Amino acid sequence: AKLLMVIGMLTWFFTGCSNPALSVVKPSGEVGKMQLNLIYLSTAIMTLVTVVVAVIYIYVVIRFRERPGDTHIPKQVEGSTVLEIVWTVIPIILLIILAVPTVSTTFQIEKRPAPSQHPVQINVTGYQYWWKFNYPQAGITTANEVHIPAGRPIEFVMQSHDVIHAFWVPSLGGKRDLEPGRMNRLILKADKPGTYEGKCTELCGASHALMNFRVIAHQTAEYDAWIRSMQKVNSQAKSVLAKEGQRLVGQNCIGCHAIRNGGYKVLGGKGPELTAFGQRTRIAGVLDNNPQNLRAWLQNPQNVKPGSRMPSFAHLEKKQIDALVEYLESLKGSSQ
Ligand code: CUA
């Protein structure tokens, strides 16, 4: 039964992740690959131990079973120095085999990248239940979606605004806690451009399971263009409806949400920055970004993310919601 359970669990372990962007066994970066090698090593050792124990157990149960007509009491044995040494030394050897690569990998992963590798620093702040990504070198901020250049080491410097969260991008590596009042670092690299899913992996409240983010890795030129488009963003409304939306944002949203170059003094900071919001692939990290979903989010955020600080705007008239949606979806990075 033990063996069947282990086989069952291994099957689940290797096939359970249907989303390749959220899989530890399909790593897309150095750190993920090193961590996967450790997972393979420890799984192999665990399997070996389980198989050996199961084989000895089955052998003993069959070989020394009670046979009909045999009433004699077997030889009674107490203590065996040889056996005790054997079952103490074997686990010590197994633990050394496990410990040496684990410690050396841990130190390798922690190594700060050399300036010649052009590392990018990104400051990550965890909030219940969203992620702030700030690029100190470029002076821009975004939320729930972090753009990175592929092939360069990214140094995530993280802390929490409230409770403990944890940053994990299964296919790139992790995890690292975000703690209030303490900076932690995690260095990751994506081998190639692509979208990698990230998760909060420390129970942090009602919407912990919905505290998702995306890592979008670009070719260097494309990444540089994204940075420039965020720096030069123009957040002024173009259409009449969007202009009404911009006015409503000033009345309803700007206390919490900042929008760069949006025409008003920026007060926001408590909520996710909405600069170039229309370009994001998701709303609040969980809904596909489209007008219907944005309308649903504005009217009942608790339905989407229970415990979120985002208030409901169900009291606004339908055409006011339409105007807000029109303006927010029009927010794009500068194309020049
Ligand atoms: Cu944040 Cu779980």
Side-chain angles (χ1 to χ4, degrees):
K2 218 191 224 174
L3 192 66
L4 277 177
M5 203 174 83
V6 169
I7 293 169
M9 278 171 71
L10 283 175
T11 315
W12 168 79
F13 178 78
F14 286 107
T15 58
C17 306
S18 55
N19 185 351
L22 195 64
S23 169
V24 199
V25 290
K26 291 194 191 81
S28 306
E30 257 168 49
V31 173
K33 282 173 195 157
M34 287 193 268
Q35 290 178 333
L36 180 60
N37 287 337
L38 288 179
I39 293 174
Y40 282 149
L41 177 68
S42 51
T43 309
I45 292 178
M46 285 188 286
T47 310
L48 178 75
V49 169
T50 310
V51 168
V52 169
V53 169
V55 166
I56 294 174
Y57 176 78
I58 291 166
Y59 171 77
V60 167
V61 164
I62 294 171
R63 173 80 177 69
F64 300 104
R65 70 187 187 279
E66 190 182 2
R67 292 186 171 85
D70 182 3
T71 51
H72 99 280
I73 307 274
K75 197 178 127 202
Q76 300 298 295
V77 183
E78 199 179 313
S80 163
T81 315
V82 175
L83 271 181
E84 283 184 30
I85 289 173
V86 168
W87 71 53
T88 308
V89 169
I90 291 176
I92 291 176
I93 293 171
L94 291 180
L95 287 179
I96 291 172
I97 295 175
L98 206 53
V100 171
T102 303
V103 172
S104 88
T105 303
T106 307
F107 278 96
Q108 252 174 291
I109 289 172
E110 296 299 306
K111 225 190 296 159
R112 301 278 297 271
S116 61
Q117 293 174 277
H118 304 289
V120 176
Q121 186 187 328
I122 299 174
N123 297 333
V124 185
T125 313
Y127 290 74
Q128 283 169 318
Y129 302 98
W130 61 278
W131 304 83
K132 182 200 270 181
F133 297 107
N134 167 259
Y135 297 67
Q137 289 142 329
I140 59 171
T141 299
T142 184
N144 297 330
E145 240 170 58
V146 58
H147 294 253
I148 62 167
R152 277 163 72 181
I154 314 298
E155 195 170 2
F156 292 101
V157 178
M158 30 195 150
Q159 60 177 327
S160 170
H161 176 78
D162 37 51
V163 299
I164 301 176
H165 303 276
F167 182 96
W168 190 34
V169 189
S171 50
L172 299 183
K175 322 159 172 177
R176 187 64 28 97
D177 277 1
L178 292 87
E179 298 168 58
R182 188 195 146 95
M183 298 274 204
N184 286 336
R185 278 169 204 281
L186 179 68
I187 295 143
L188 295 179
K189 193 160 95 179
D191 287 341
K192 48 186 191 308
T195 299
Y196 307 100
E197 304 291 339
K199 282 260 168 203
C200 177
T201 168
E202 179 69 59
L203 183 60
C204 55
S207 282
H208 155 70
L210 301 170
M211 193 169 158
N212 300 343
F213 62 99
R214 267 185 175 156
V215 179
I216 302 172
H218 304 275
Q219 307 278 17
T220 300
E222 215 179 275
Y223 170 76
D224 292 341
W226 178 79
I227 291 280
R228 277 194 306 275
S229 80
M230 289 294 285
Q231 288 171 324
K232 292 204 219 137
V233 68
N234 173 7
S235 305
Q236 294 295 342
K238 277 144 206 114
S239 71
V240 176
L241 188 59
K243 283 201 171 86
E244 170 63 2
Q246 188 177 3
R247 194 184 66 78
L248 288 163
V249 162
Q251 273 178 7
N252 296 285
C253 317
I254 217 68
C256 297
H257 299 279
I259 301 175
R260 274 168 72 103
N261 304 335
Y264 21 64
K265 194 167 160 245
V266 170
L267 308 167
K270 283 183 279 181
E273 186 166 322
L274 297 179
T275 307
F277 169 83
Q279 245 170 234
R280 292 198 194 142
T281 61
R282 281 191 190 145
I283 300 163
V286 282
L287 297 175
D288 285 338
N289 190 358
N290 61 45
Q292 297 98 286
N293 283 343
L294 183 55
R295 218 167 271 131
W297 168 249
L298 290 171
Q299 283 169 335
N300 195 350
Q302 294 304 315
N303 198 25
V304 178
K305 245 184 181 178
S308 157
R309 300 259 150 84
M310 170 79 178
S312 158
F313 288 91
H315 59 277
L316 294 182
E317 287 166 40
K318 191 193 162 288
K319 60 174 197 283
Q320 291 180 307
I321 295 272
D322 286 346
L324 275 176
V325 170
E326 178 76 13
Y327 174 62
L328 291 170
E329 294 291 9
S330 78
L331 295 173
K332 303 269 161 80
S334 157
S335 51
Q336 309 133 23

